[in-house]
Amino acid sequence: MLESGCCSSFSALSLVTSLPCFPWAAPAALWMLAASCCDRRMCVCPGPRRIAIPVRSSRLPLFSDAMPAPTQLFPLIRNCEIGRIYNTVCYCHHKHLCCLSPHLAHNHLRCAPQKKLATLCPKENFNQFIHARSYVSTPQRFYLTPPQVNSILKANEYSFKVPEFDGKNVSSILGFDSNQLPANAPIEDRRSAATCLQTRGMLLGVFDGHAGCACAQAVSERLFYYIAVSLLPHETLLEIENAVESGRALLPILQWHKHPNDYFSKEASKLYFNSLRTYWQELIDLNTGETTDVKEALINAFKRLDNDISLEAQVGDPNSFLNYLVLRVAFSGATACVAHVDGVDLHIANTGDSRAMLGVQEEDGSWSAVTLSYDHNAQNESEIERVKLEHPKSEEKSVVKQDRLLGLLMPFRAFGDVKFKWSIELQKRVIESGPDQLNDNEYTKFIPPNYHTPPYLTAEPEVIHHKLRPQDKFLVLATDGLWETMHRQDVVRIVGEYLTGVHHQQPIAVGGYKVTLGQMHGLLTERRARISSVFEDQNAATHLIRHAVGNNEFGTVDHERLSKMLSLPEELARMYRDDITIIVVQFNSHIVGACQNEEF
Amino acid sequence: MFLRLLSDVRWRTVSPKWRSTSSSRHMTTSATEPPPISLPAQAQVVICGGGIVGTSVAYHLSKLGWKDIVLLEQGRLAAGSTRFCAGIVSTVRHLSIELKMADYSNKLYQQLEQETGIKTGYVKTGSISLAQTQDRLISLKRIASRLSVMGIPCEIMAPKQVAQLHPLINIHDLVGAMYVPEDAVVSSVDVSLALANAASRNGVQIHERTSISHVMVQKGCVTGVETDRGQIECQYFVNCAGQWAYELGLSNEEPVSIPLHGCEHFYLLTRPLKKPLESNTPTIVDPDGRIYIRSWQGGILSGGFEKNPKPIFTEGRNQLEIQNLHEDWDHFEPLLSSLLRRMPGLEALEIMQLVNCPESFTPDMRCIMGESPTVQGYFVLAGMNSAGTSFGGGAGRYLAEWMVNGCPSENVWPLDLKRFGALQSSRTFLRHRVMEVMPLIYDLKVPRWDFQTGRQLRTSPLYDRLDAQGARWMEKHGFERPKYFVPPGKDLLALDQSKTFYKPDWFDIVGSEVKCCKEAVCVIDMSSFTKFEISSTGDQALEVLQYLFSNDLDVPVGHIVHTGMLNEEGGYENDCSIARLNKRSFFMISPTDQQVHCWAWLKKHMPNDSNLLLEDVTWKYTALNLIGPRAVDVLSELSYVPMTPEHFPSLFCKEMSVGYANGIRVMSMTHTGEPGFMLYIPIEYALHVYNELMSVGQKYGIRNAGYYALRSLRIEKFFAFWGQDLDTFTTPLECGREFRVKLDKGTDFIGRDALMQQKQDGVCKRFTMFILEDHDTDLDLWPWWGEPIYRNGHYVGKTTSSAYSYTLERHVCLGFVQNFDEETREALVVTPDFINRGEYEIDIAGQRFQAKAKLYPFSSLFTQRRRKDEMELSGYHGK
């Protein structure tokens, strides 16, 4: 492990220093690496990769070899084209064009994806864009213009305004902004937001996948259904079951609020539905007659979904595509941080190391952060305690090693990751009977060391209940990609200032004070500088990402830095930052205040 | 608040005589005072609005002898925009009518204190307009050359001289300035009170705290007003309601569209400087910095016109709002920076207040004056574009003259309410447009500038087709018209960079279009022209037209007559072409912006006869101008009808088929003097006919052309256009169109007597064409319009339009030459001999260029050459 980590670390270093491709990356890389020694959770791994994967044939040196190739290749292609067009130009002229062509290629590439980005499906093209950029890394300095930066930052942004009164209920949520910025290709984070239609309240969640995005994708599609079903009263469940039984139209359970890039897998929907139906059938049979407790419902839903993921993988599916899919879901993993908001009742169910943060505005207008979740990782003493207690004393040393579960996994709770849940026999059986692709995958075959008393991992969430107060202005749900780069206090301050700044910026009035023109001018210039970065974004999550990625040591957005970070080729991006997914939920203080008064 | 107090204090000290009965009560219980005098039941004139504009109208009406006048003010006198006004009276204006109004206002205010005994705060400070760029300096020089011919002293000076005139100013970034020593500052509140005082002494009744809910109209005439304190019957109503004029106009049953919209306007007041600023320190206008600065009670008053104005009251609000507008320092920041850059010494100066005073702006940055086209007796004076103090006096005078005499003593067409129609009164349009207009006040005014907001409102059905072929557009009366067509692969400068006083970047593009018009054939979409049809069951149509127009319209069916629609003085109210479609119906084509004015004029003078029908068919026809020597070939090929002059003589109109489309009105005229045809096409056939013309025309070298080419063609042919060259003060005799006046056509017509008289006496001005001699098109400033003309070194008039003639390869300016007596300045008769015997110079921004004057176009030269070409070409094609 340690070896391979070092190896890739070195190769990364050698790559950025030896290649002239990234003149700007060199100092940045050194800086980042230096920082990683003291800052990062581990020195052995170059980037904050969630799982250290044993690399047999190091990918990075390969990649470094491959890098210059396209840059050389391109002129050739361009040459042919140019040659075709200017077949009359003399040789010397031709040669001249040769030298020019990298720049032509560069310009060509820079323009082309840009256009697509705006018109076509942004996600797909974003990847193309990154791809393209890795080719254009010619020795010349490459900066993204502010509009280019914005189009990258805003590609995945989504906003939803909740009607204050939808005809049935008043909502304590004004709306939410969400966004994500990929570092992995494809991104491994997922997000979900939906309104419960058969019960009250709204569900919002961020999901951070590892070892692929399959599990995060499945959880993002399915978890809210499990929660909603868990919350449904007996009668509604019966009604739904009867409707399915008799082929009538189903009552809609959730209204999704999705960005066009947030897709659902069509192929698996039948499979997922059947599992869900089994779950509610069991709930109907179990009918306790008690009113559903939200906390319990959340825990049940999490556990049930993880169980279903595991079962589906064990049973398999006759359809080979689906069979492979359920296995990929089970062998990859995902953390989840889900908020359920119903009136003043806010429940946060968290599994893993994403985090929910409440933005509270004090009476003096300042902002403070209240954490509404516990990270399930090595930084959490009680988590280490819990994991150790669940296993025999003999494993005390091995169960948490290098701040990772079994020395491998950073989050201590997660969906999927059957490698940490199933017995060795089961894993081997499933892999052997599974499709070839699975067999070929080094990671899935690899059994964690010191694997004695599974399961080591659980998807059971910790649920925190919070009664909203009028001073609770917003909630930030975000994957660890954000929390690694920014302190929670800064996160809350930036969002708080953004939200108030956009909606009601405090005007200056001279009143009866003695103010000189010069003083006023200074004050206004300062205000202007502060506001200018805010006005660029219409979305609080985008604004936060801009700060997370672009903040300099003074806490203000530095365009140059932002541009560098966003123009990293996809192979390098993951070493400098993680996927970031953010949902900012804004509460309606008036409604919260009114509800509060009603209740007391 | 301070200003409010200030005005209150003044108010009391003034103790106006006209309210002496109630003044004591007013003093003690000013807040809850009940209205003192009951309203009269009737009056000749009711004026709404007691700001500087309303009081000025009342003042001038009473001066002209009208006494039965009631002025109603919803709040207190001078309490609206007037109260917050910065009080600068400046003659630095681009439009000559505005310049004249400001000059008159200045002179009026100067003597007002003496006349009324009320202190008006008038101080002759002078004003300095700064130029940070060479272009700005050119703009100032252009104004300077106009001011000096008006007899208003002004001086273009170097930055160093500016520093001597003003103690605080930073001159390091200046390239020059213009000093106008006669400009002044006043307290606009006090001016308005003084005007009210003088008016009331002349018998005008003034009632405050009386608001008008609507104006009562019967049969298209004003009959009275409904107020919150009862009705007043009246014959005339004057809407001087400022910000509220738009709403008030719409409140009638028969709405009057007064397109104006409010914007917040900010200015700063400071406490006195350590060494208080002299009250006669010149006012500084720094248009490049977007600010003005005047001295105010030892400190300064500084405001400006920012790039991003804040429009307000779009939904229409009550008066209370105006009191409660907030200061917005963040919004003022760019102006404050600009102020401190201009006067760095002010840093330590203490702020007193940032005043938010909404101003009303109009869609074209010119005020709105005149009678409503729909309601007789309904007059308007509003929309001062934040120059209410400068214009108030002069504008009030012109409106009063208009009401009393039937017309003002100057050409006020640029300000006439009738230049707008209902199409400019959308709230959204106004809101967007004023956001462009307000910054424009300090933007550089260059030739051929087009508004960017409120566009694509009226378009021809061919708009998309032409746009796809590279058309660049200008707008007239809401209608998009092509300026020129940018050929594929050619790029023009961006909008901002294309602003120039010199040779524009489209020069060659238009040149090639002109060439094509001269040598082959071009299509110009001219659908924007106003088109009316007048028909009757009997001879009524002919009779009314004979009375309204100076030329003889009793022509055979199918003939087209160019004729003026004259006023009693013989001046052009409109200049149009009328085709006799049949015995009883006529098709009338007038300039685009005549749509409202001409309609109103016709309606006013037409007998109320149900058998006489007037219809606006502007929207029904797409007009294509097929211009050039090959137009004949294109059209005959498309219609299988010979179109040669023998079969289709000049100024002839025939309905015929073009392509598959039938019923196309083809007229053998082009508005330029070039050969060709106007095609009036029912809109559903427009695309078809256009496509056919283009495909058939291909072999004749057809191409699209725009209005710039048209303009160049018509000016080199010495064709006058109404609205640019011709106005209500120009008679046909003065512009060499005697042949279009039939004094002996057998019937009387409006203006006939005046023309008879003029024919006897001779004309005092003469429309003349000037060809610039020593002007370098590439290097020298281009003429625009309004340039002074000098004859033998003496000022004799101004140009009205100009264009580069690609045929003459010279600039051509059109303008009027007068003959002023050297001592009395009286206008003497101008004879052709007088014109021909002079040495002429045209003053472009202070630089004089030699010009050759001509009274007649070079028509023979062109036609000869063309005939020769034609013969050669036809011979070639014949084989």
Side-chain angles (χ1 to χ4, degrees), chain B residues 309-368:
Chain B
K310 292 164 80 179
I312 46 161
F313 303 147
T314 306
E315 306 85 7
R317 295 276 170 79
N318 58 31
Q319 193 194 6
L320 284 177
E321 302 276 333
I322 200 172
Q323 320 286 356
N324 298 326
L325 289 172
H326 293 291
E327 55 198 319
D328 185 343
W329 279 101
D330 292 303
H331 191 71
F332 193 70
E333 189 267 336
L335 300 180
L336 180 60
S337 304
S338 179
L339 170 66
L340 291 176
R341 201 162 50 242
R342 185 56 53 220
M343 297 187 181
L346 297 182
E347 286 240 348
L349 193 56
E350 200 184 311
I351 295 166
M352 179 142 100
Q353 196 190 1
L354 184 66
V355 182
N356 182 350
C357 101
E359 298 274 2
S360 44
F361 295 87
T362 60
D364 58 1
M365 210 176 62
R366 311 199 290 256
C367 76
I368 298 174

Side-chain angles (χ1 to χ4, degrees), chain B residues 8-26:
Chain B
D8 279 355
V9 171
R10 285 280 163 79
W11 179 256
R12 281 163 209 176
T13 53
V14 165
S15 88
K17 289 195 180 116
W18 42 270
R19 323 176 54 209
S20 52
T21 51
S22 66
S23 61
S24 57
R25 257 162 72 200
H26 174 72

Side-chain angles (χ1 to χ4, degrees), chain B residues 445-464:
Chain B
K445 278 148 202 96
V446 295
R448 299 164 299 268
W449 194 89
D450 298 306
F451 283 104
Q452 300 302 307
T453 52
R455 294 291 295 271
Q456 288 175 314
L457 178 58
R458 301 168 76 204
T459 55
S460 132
L462 303 175
Y463 179 86
D464 281 348

